[in-house]
Every structure is written in C-alpha cells, then in structure tokens.
Amino acid sequence: MTPPREVDVLVVGFGAAGATAAISAHDAGASVAIIEKTSAGGGNCVYSGGFLFEVDGPRAVDHLDALCFGKTDRTVLEAYVRGLPDVPGFVDSLGGSTPEVDPEAFGGMLPSWPHFPGAGHVRYRQFAPAAGERPGPGLWRVLETAVRERDIAVALDTRVVELVLDGDRVAGVVVEHDGERLRIGARAGVILASGGFEADPELRDTYLPLPLTSVGHQGNTGDTLTLSTIVGASLWHMSAFFGWLSFVHPDFPAAFTLDVRAPSFIYLDGDGRRFSDETGWEVHDAVRAVTTYLPRRPNRPRMPGWIVFDEAARLAGPLHGIVGSPNGYAWSTDNAAEVAAGWISRGEDAAGLAGATGLDPAVLQRALGEYADAVSRGRDDEFGRAPATLVPLLPPLYAIRMTPGVATASGGPRRDAHARVLRTGGAPIPGLFAAGAAGSIWGHLTEHGGGLTDAIVFGRIAGTRCATDAPVAVAASPLSQA
C-alpha cells in the first residue's frame, strides 16, 4: 500500500521486532504504520528455529552481563529481565504457543552456557508450529496476522532514506516508494527495527573480526546504521555477532548453515589439517572455531575449509535444516541429493576423498590418522575434544566445503532501558527508538533464542514507550512530498 502521510508511531522494518513494536504501539492507543524495504516481512524470524530464552532468579542480570562481557549497561539488562516473563503471554495473546523445551532433547546443545552465573535459572521455549510448518515461520505468521488484524498500515517495497528532524527531535522519515520520494510525519516518534548489517560485504569487512558470509535475511544491509548515525546516534557492539559454519553455493544469494547430526565428523582447514575441538562450541558460536589457531601449529588460518564426515553422520539428518534457508531450498533429509549434485564430495577412502576435494592426499591422510589415534586413546591431546564425542570415521567418507557464516550482527545504535536511541555521551535522541537486531543488547555472546527474545522484549518496550510519549506537534496538516 502507499504509506500514510502522518501517524503517531512509524516503525521502520517488518520483522519480529517491528511487528511487535507496531502491535504494542497500536494497543497503547497510537496510530501506527510500518515501512519495509523488501517485498515481504519476516526478516530473520522466518529463518530461525523459533526459540525464545528466559532467565530469572537473583543472578539473572549477572548471567546476561557475563554473556555481554560487561559491554551492555546493566539498566538495559534489567529491563530485558523484567520483560522476559511477559513474552509467553504476549505470544499466547496473539494466538500462538511457546512451550518450554526439554534440554535433553537437543543432544547436549542446551543449556547454552551452563557455567555462567545464574545458569541454573535458564529455560528455553520454542514456538509450537502448525502441522507442516517450521517454528520460525510459525511465529512470524502469528505476528504478521496480529498486525493485519489491527489494520496497521504496512508499506512494502518502500525504503526509508532519511530521518526528518524537527529541531533535535525525530519527527518522521523520507521514503522512496514507487519511484517517488515521500515525507511521512511521526507525531510521537520513529522506531528503528530495521535489522543489522550482516548482508552487506563492506560493513562486515569493516566491523566484524573474521571474513564472514551471510546466512540470513539478505535485506539486513545496514540501513539502521545509516539512518541513526546521521542524527548523531552512538553505536555499540559493532564487532559482536553470532553465526554458523556454512556452505556457499554460487547459485544462491545466502549461504546455507551447516550442522552435523552425529559426532563422526572433523573440521579441516583449507590445507587439510584439523584446527579445533569440533564439538565444544555453543551452536550459535561455532563459527569462532576458526579462531583457535595457535602459533605452534604449522597450518595457517586458511578458509574455506572442510567438514569431513562418514556414512553414519550423512544418514543422521540434513546438514542444513536446524534453521531455515533464505534461499527457499529444501535440503534432503539424508544429504543424498546434495551428494548427487556434487555439493558434498565422496570418497571410498582417504585417497578417494582427496581426489574429490583437491586436498593433498598426504596431509588429509595424516589428519585422519591423527584423529584415529585420538579415538583409539580416548583422548584428544591436541584439541581437547570431549572423549564421548571421539568416535571413528568409517568409510566411505564425505566432505563439504565450509565458510565462516554470520547470522546476526549485533552492532547498531546504542539504546537505553526504554529503547530510546542515545547520542554519544548518553542523552536520548527525542523521538527515536530501536529494537531487535537494530543495535542488539548482546555485547559478545548470546543465549539460544536470545535474538528473537530481544526483538519481542524491546519491541514491546519501544512500541509502548513511543506511543505513550507526549506527542510533539510536527505539522498541522499532512506533509507534502519531499
């Protein structure tokens, strides 16, 4: 639809954070519109596993502070903790359900950080999808339906190119829509829910500490940074991110996340050498495995590398599928289609796999032999892999090329406990709010489900706070075209 000329609350971005903010602002009595630059809403929510996170108890804030390495103001973390108990009820009120998950059902993946302060009070939920639906798209369906049922205006294929100031207050935006530039007034304020910058190669290279490729929503190209810094926003968490090891295919815009469903696998760098404990990483943090090079080892940190696995791991489940694909591709459940397509290489033995991958046969054989020795000893002296995960690699062998991937970049405008965007020095920018990955609260590590939970908790805070802020007169009549 054509965007309205003026509303109380204008939300930039139609993902989980934007939808939540719009719903909350509407329910607080404001007129609301959403601007989305792509042709459909959902953002990273539709590629997620639909997980949500809870922590309570006397050390809840300490738990978050440890994850953030002290880089997020404790008042912000306190607001996050206060908002957590209301998340299940909010989703329930929209017609969804988020039952608690049994950590044992996830093969040791949960709890994410069992030794951090307050970890005994951590719980996880997952959206309960309809039949044939994945949890992430299911959660998005509920949020989008709630927006539509409230008759909240949503303008797709509309890009915000500028924030409009009335003095020092953000009072609207300029958008590009159908080849025209339009100015939209926001009497109470603007909420940035426009995601991170992980899909922009130059911004990834500028801010993130590794060469990474995007595995998520391709619309997250840094609009939040551009809009907020022009009006003087302070930035935080610019080097923080989480991601997966991934498979890059030239025919698809985003990389495919990779998870091996059985322990019979190893990681090799581009030279064919092991470089890490393959099984000791939190699922959202596995990409940091590529930083575990030590100077005493002869191999240099060369990527892309390889995941080498055996028949048991191939049959254990799809390498891609824990989270959804922005490419719309359905990975085969036993990985057979990807073997047939040549995405996954196969060899009857080390020599055959070397020929299929181009790895040096002697280097590959040495790596496999060293791993086999660790298995026979029940002890991985070089990398410290847990003994229970040291299982043989039995031929035939498979390999898939892996590249470090980023799912979400946390960096963006600094926010306070009321979701207000802050200037350098700490003063809020009047009329400007942020939620979700538009400057996430996560300062270094994250909890399983932490991204979606941030979107809902601070989406609710931003929507309610913006709607109930004292309106400021921005114009007596609808604003004209810019």
Side-chain angles (χ1 to χ4, degrees):
M1 63 165 292
T2 300
R5 292 297 183 86
E6 190 173 34
V7 290
D8 294 328
V9 175
L10 190 66
V11 179
V12 182
F14 193 31
T20 300
I23 292 165
S24 300
H26 172 277
D27 291 357
S31 61
V32 186
I34 301 172
I35 304 298
E36 168 59 42
K37 73 174 183 180
T38 67
S39 59
N44 271 335
C45 183
V46 296
Y47 311 123
S48 75
F51 284 92
L52 299 168
F53 155 71
E54 294 179 349
V55 62
D56 60 14
R59 303 208 67 187
V61 175
D62 292 335
H63 183 79
L64 300 176
D65 186 61
L67 289 166
C68 294
F69 279 46
K71 290 175 66 67
T72 302
D73 190 279
R74 287 181 70 92
T75 62
V76 176
L77 301 180
E78 289 164 0
Y80 184 81
V81 169
R82 287 194 299 271
L84 290 177
D86 297 329
V87 171
F90 172 72
V91 177
D92 288 350
S93 73
L94 305 181
S97 176
T98 57
E100 285 192 42
V101 302
D102 178 7
E104 296 298 323
F106 287 85
M109 186 170 69
L110 301 175
S112 297
W113 303 98
H115 304 296
F116 277 33
H121 290 263
V122 169
R123 295 175 302 280
Y124 305 92
R125 295 177 178 272
Q126 188 177 31
F127 183 84
E133 183 180 54
R134 289 194 307 101
L139 176 58
W140 174 246
R141 170 182 51 79
V142 166
L143 290 169
E144 184 178 32
T145 299
V147 168
R148 305 294 186 187
E149 288 176 345
R150 286 161 172 78
D151 290 325
I152 295 171
V154 179
L156 302 174
D157 295 309
T158 303
R159 186 187 189 101
V160 176
V161 295
E162 183 183 342
L163 296 176
V164 174
L165 293 175
D166 179 16
D168 66 347
R169 184 181 184 87
V170 173
V173 301
V174 175
V175 302
E176 290 181 347
H177 177 79
D178 281 347
E180 293 185 294
R181 286 203 166 196
L182 306 174
R183 188 173 173 185
I184 306 171
R187 288 179 288 267
V190 172
I191 300 172
L192 297 178
S194 36
F197 59 84
E198 61 272 5
D200 184 275
E202 184 173 347
L203 291 173
R204 288 199 308 267
D205 181 64
T206 300
Y207 291 112
L208 301 184
L210 294 171
L212 297 161
T213 189
S214 172
V215 301
H217 179 50
Q218 295 303 287
N220 288 347
T221 54
D223 301 72
T224 302
L225 293 179
T226 303
L227 295 170
S228 62
T229 53
I230 288 176
V231 297
S234 172
L235 301 180
W236 66 355
H237 306 155
M238 294 306 295
S239 63
F241 70 98
F242 66 84
W244 270 262
L245 298 172
S246 66
F247 171 69
V248 176
H249 192 286
D251 293 344
F252 295 92
F256 294 89
T257 59
L258 295 175
D259 293 282
V260 187
R261 308 298 185 96
S264 49
F265 73 96
I266 57 174
Y267 295 157
L268 303 179
D269 76 348
D271 296 321
R273 299 178 176 94
R274 277 187 76 205
F275 58 88
S276 176
D277 168 12
E278 296 89 351
T279 62
W281 299 92
E282 197 276 329
V283 62
H284 299 86
D285 214 43
V287 69
R288 296 185 205 275
V290 303
T291 67
T292 59
Y293 294 91
L294 297 177
R296 63 181 172 81
R297 297 189 184 123
N299 56 317
R300 62 189 178 91
R302 190 162 75 86
M303 287 287 139
W306 298 88
I307 301 177
V308 173
F309 55 99
D310 68 2
E311 189 78 351
R314 179 182 76 82
L315 296 174
L319 296 184
H320 172 75
I322 288 182
V323 295
S325 172
N327 302 309
Y329 175 83
W331 201 280
S332 63
T333 57
D334 60 359
N335 304 289
E338 292 70 37
V339 174
W343 297 12
I344 298 173
S345 301
R346 184 182 189 276
E348 292 300 326
D349 51 22
L353 191 64
T357 58
L359 289 168
D360 184 305
V363 175
L364 176 58
Q365 182 62 64
R366 186 180 307 117
L368 292 171
E370 290 169 351
Y371 175 73
D373 288 344
V375 171
S376 65
R377 292 192 306 269
R379 189 180 70 251
D380 183 13
D381 292 333
E382 186 70 358
F383 300 103
R385 180 164 162 167
T389 71
L390 291 170
V391 298
L393 293 176
L394 303 176
L397 298 175
Y398 300 87
I400 187 167
R401 189 177 289 274
M402 67 170 181
T403 298
V406 54
T408 299
S410 296
R414 190 183 301 269
R415 71 176 78 141
D416 68 6
H418 305 291
R420 298 178 299 186
V421 173
L422 303 179
R423 300 185 192 279
T424 301
I429 298 174
L432 188 60
F433 301 80
S440 170
I441 67 164
W442 299 106
H444 182 54
L445 304 175
T446 185
E447 268 282 6
H448 197 71
L452 277 179
T453 311
D454 184 8
I456 293 176
V457 168
F458 270 94
R460 297 187 74 213
I461 292 172
T464 303
R465 178 70 188 224
C466 185
T468 55
D469 262 10
V472 172
V474 293
S477 59
L479 294 165
S480 61
Q481 291 188 8

